[in-house]
Amino acid sequence: MSDLTALTVAELQRALADGETSAAEVTRAHLDRIATEDGALGAYLHVDHEGALRRAGEVDAAGTAGTGLAGVPVALKDVVVTEGVPTTSGSRILEGWRPPYDATVARRLKDAGTVLLGKTNMDEFAMGSSTENSAYRPTRNPWDHDRVPGGSSGGSSAAVAGRLAPFALGTDTGGSIRQPAALTGLVGHKPTYGSVSRYGLIAFSSSLDQAGPMARTVLDAALVHEAIGGHDPCDSTSIDAPVPTLVQAARRGAGGDLSGLRVGVVRELGGEGSREGYEQGVLDRFTEAVALLQAAGAEVREVSCPSFGLALPAYYLIAPSEASSNLARFEGMRFGIRVGDDGSRDVDDVMALTREQGFGAEVKRRIILGTYALSAGYYDAYYGQAQKVRTLINRDFAAAFDDVDVLVSPTSPTVAWPIGARVDDPLAMYAADLCTLPASLAGVPATSVPCGLSEGLPVGLQVMAPALADDRCYRVAAAVEAALGSPLTDQLGARTGSAA
Amino acid sequence: MSTEPTPEAGVHPALDRQDIAHLARLARLAVTDEELDRFAGQLGAVLDAVAQVQRADVDDVAPTTHAVPLTNVVRPDVTRPSLPRDVVLAGAPAAEDDRFRVPRILGEEA
């Protein structure tokens, strides 16, 4: 058997079903690679060595390996609560906490027979675009260890790109699945808001947070998405609608025929209307990807979405506002750490000290900004106004989707940047989310699919579709992937000598 | 705040150290002197950048409160078991007599 860590989810399914390998062998191969590689990458916050081997043994004993996702290892972003397995959301305030229950997405993957390898590093409470805001350590990009892997799901992206897991779950509030996927050469999909349960995800910004798959191929992402999607009575915002046939859409797209599909290039996102802040290499790969879509038979036209320029300021008012409310639950009384409880202080002081020591700088900055934006006298000027801008963005999407079936843009205006380059400049960091924010604010699905390299680093193409039309994202992404050949991560494997 | 609420679009008051300290207190967040200096500068720059939403022409626009149209969601009014008490308390920083133990809530003068 070739190197088991080089196989995609679909290839692992086949190898397990054919009896060429076992869940235990696959799991051990990944644990071994984690042991040798993760010291340099910092992709994991917790590796559940014993639990993974035990679980793999159970799958083998049951004889179900290769049925669906049974026997396939997974890494979960540490914002997904997992029963009995440490969950910190990248924060000191939850250090040592072992949740008493599973998030719905974790439960569904468990029920599907997957093997949990561990929990991946992330920006604290998912606030960040580089995974440098982790309270524990930064994660490094497998393509260049001196660069960021994107964020906030950077641990998940580094784990999958570095072959420390065949797939992972991330969460995306403003772009935290798609941007790290783009920066590490992966496929990442933010599902339609409400179509994948948020029950058991540690909330950051409730009207925007959404879990989704990160994988090395479009087909793998679709296989995972179908396993985690669908209505959940535990989440009151969960949409009660069937999951689209995503695997079928991915297979159809891989056939390379997009005739009849209308693709809109967003003028304000890397189109002719706004090119400031975009690296030339990113624009070149984007232009080539659009040409590939055209060659596959798609009809391409430029579409204007004038309000998208307001997405960044609206997001950076809405998300901190919701975060300041959501993070009020971390006060050191019921779970997590407690600081200063020496009998001399009252509850207010203990809460303030616990939060002072438990939260990092970016979290504090956003709590203070959110508290300000929601305060009496400022609510209408900031939060209320931002929610109205959100309506304008919704209208732009609605008008665009009258004319075209999907919208495309670069996923990130730049390739991965050097670690430390933006840490002291919040505005420069926030600009990393320029292209991903509009879809988040509107709740529509969006995929990032690799579309080549610039200066030796991955570039992502973003495909956005109307709500509940996630299948269109998969179809278009699969066509791009098919036109470009083998997954980008194969090139990484060849470069680092870790290919099969 | 040390300044009156924003009277017109595009204008917002500067946040000084005192404002940041006040907001931090409201958010039950102890902050160091060094953080006050740093946050005052950074939040000022962030507010400058995000204040452009105030210039958006949204007079007749209703706010979007949610990405998905929702009506109230209710579940059947059926009693279900909750997590066992010992499991919930196992994650608490302090517990006593089957309860969360918390610092005193009322001050000395109460």
Side-chain angles (χ1 to χ4, degrees):
Chain A
M1 195 72 224
S2 56
D3 180 358
L4 293 168
T5 65
L7 301 184
T8 65
V9 173
E11 288 166 346
L12 282 171
Q13 280 183 320
R14 203 163 36 238
L16 288 163
D18 292 349
E20 291 171 21
T21 186
S22 65
E25 281 176 350
V26 173
T27 301
R28 209 168 293 119
H30 283 90
L31 290 171
D32 288 348
R33 189 162 165 84
I34 291 168
T36 58
E37 303 294 320
D38 200 43
L41 280 182
Y44 283 89
L45 287 176
H46 176 78
V47 178
D48 189 15
H49 201 274
E50 283 177 26
L53 288 174
R54 188 176 56 243
R55 178 88 182 126
E58 287 167 4
V59 173
D60 284 331
T64 51
T67 315
L69 294 175
V72 178
V74 56
L76 294 177
K77 185 178 182 179
D78 205 33
V79 73
V80 179
V81 306
T82 41
E83 184 180 351
V85 178
T87 302
T88 67
S89 205
S91 181
R92 291 279 176 203
I93 209 163
L94 281 176
E95 193 165 5
W97 184 57
R98 290 175 186 261
Y101 70 107
D102 276 323
T104 295
V105 288
R107 165 62 51 193
R108 286 187 179 169
L109 287 175
K110 205 183 259 186
D111 289 348
T114 64
V115 174
L116 177 63
L117 294 169
K119 307 297 287 293
T120 56
N121 205 356
M122 55 182 285
D123 284 307
E124 186 176 4
F125 287 106
M127 297 180 191
S129 306
S130 68
T131 312
E132 291 164 292
N133 292 337
S134 163
Y136 297 93
R137 55 176 179 163
T139 301
R140 294 171 180 274
N141 192 321
W143 290 82
D144 178 348
H145 288 189
D146 292 330
R147 290 176 187 266
V148 303
S152 62
S153 310
S156 288
S157 69
V160 180
R163 296 179 173 169
L164 278 56
F167 79 94
L169 290 194
T171 58
D172 188 317
T173 302
S176 287
I177 288 173
R178 292 162 284 161
Q179 184 256 18
L183 268 43
T184 57
L186 298 179
V187 177
H189 180 74
K190 179 172 195 176
T192 298
Y193 179 83
S195 68
V196 172
S197 171
R198 287 188 299 111
Y199 177 73
L201 306 185
I202 296 173
F204 160 21
S205 180
S206 306
S207 76
L208 300 162
D209 296 344
Q210 187 62 69
M214 304 175 78
R216 295 201 283 269
T217 67
V218 178
L219 177 60
D220 282 5
L223 287 163
V224 174
H225 187 160
E226 284 197 5
I228 59 172
H231 183 244
D232 177 16
C234 293
D235 174 358
S236 65
T237 58
S238 170
I239 296 173
D240 195 358
V243 183
T245 49
L246 306 169
V247 171
Q248 198 185 346
R251 291 192 196 283
R252 185 176 170 213
D257 181 11
L258 294 179
S259 48
L261 190 88
R262 299 165 302 164
V263 174
V265 172
V266 182
R267 185 175 159 74
E268 290 77 11
L269 299 180
E272 293 299 330
S274 163
R275 301 211 135 183
E276 202 182 329
Y278 292 82
E279 287 175 356
Q280 190 55 46
V282 168
L283 291 173
D284 290 346
R285 294 301 88 74
F286 174 59
T287 307
E288 289 160 16
V290 171
L292 289 176
L293 297 174
Q294 220 155 3
E299 180 196 324
V300 177
R301 63 180 78 156
E302 190 167 86
V303 169
S304 180
C305 298
S307 299
F308 280 16
L310 289 168
L312 195 130
Y315 175 84
Y316 279 101
L317 286 167
I318 292 167
S321 297
E322 294 184 6
S324 71
S325 169
N326 274 325
L327 268 55
R329 65 171 63 93
F330 300 100
E331 25 65 325
M333 299 298 118
R334 294 157 299 150
F335 42 76
I337 62 165
R338 180 184 292 180
V339 177
D341 185 16
D342 59 3
S344 73
R345 294 186 178 88
D346 68 11
V347 74
D348 273 0
D349 287 345
V350 171
M351 283 183 186
L353 277 175
T354 300
R355 287 158 67 80
E356 144 70 17
Q357 293 197 22
F359 289 146
E362 182 62 26
V363 173
K364 290 177 190 167
R365 209 153 43 212
R366 295 204 198 186
I367 288 175
I368 292 171
L369 179 62
T371 304
Y372 175 69
L374 291 178
S375 59
Y378 296 91
Y379 180 93
D380 288 339
Y382 290 117
Y383 187 76
Q385 192 83 356
Q387 293 286 57
K388 289 180 179 178
V389 166
R390 205 170 171 178
T391 305
L392 297 182
I393 290 167
N394 284 338
R395 288 180 185 171
D396 277 359
F397 270 114
F401 287 133
D402 274 347
D403 287 336
V404 296
D405 300 304
V406 295
L407 292 170
V408 294
S409 76
T411 307
S412 161
T414 70
V415 294
W417 57 90
I419 287 176
R422 301 186 187 179
V423 280
D424 292 323
D425 185 352
L427 289 173
M429 190 70 90
Y430 297 170
D433 304 327
L434 204 63
C435 303
T436 50
L437 292 172
S440 285
L441 289 165
V444 302
T447 300
S448 180
V449 61
C451 64
L453 299 174
S454 168
E455 296 171 26
L457 295 165
V459 175
L461 170 77
Q462 180 176 227
V463 185
M464 298 168 273
L468 296 174
D470 298 59
D471 51 335
R472 286 187 207 167
C473 294
Y474 282 97
R475 184 183 166 206
V476 175
V480 172
E481 183 180 72
L484 286 171
S486 57
L488 213 49
T489 44
D490 284 358
Q491 293 185 37
L492 172 63
R495 189 198 286 188
T496 57
S498 61
Chain B
M1 297 300 98
S2 53
T3 331
E4 285 301 301
T6 57
E8 57 195 80
V11 177
H12 68 87
L15 281 180
D16 59 22
R17 290 175 96 257
Q18 210 181 329
D19 297 326
I20 301 285
H22 177 61
L23 289 164
R25 262 195 309 278
L26 290 177
R28 300 279 187 281
L29 204 55
V31 279
T32 63
D33 280 350
E34 188 268 330
E35 282 175 329
L36 282 181
D37 289 333
R38 191 151 40 94
F39 290 161
Q42 288 173 335
L43 286 169
V46 172
L47 271 181
D48 280 340
V50 298
Q52 58 176 292
V53 301
Q54 296 179 9
R55 293 191 289 273
D57 182 11
V58 288
D59 283 351
D60 301 320
V61 178
T64 296
T65 52
H66 212 270
V68 179
L70 283 176
T71 50
N72 274 346
V73 178
V74 292
R75 63 172 171 77
D77 189 16
V78 178
T79 310
R80 293 181 304 177
S82 60
L83 287 169
R85 193 181 311 207
D86 58 329
V87 171
V88 174
L89 291 173
E96 198 176 298
D97 296 336
D98 275 349
R99 298 180 179 96
F100 293 105
R101 190 180 67 73
V102 299
R104 64 186 159 79
I105 290 172
L106 299 175
E108 296 293 341
E109 71 278 10

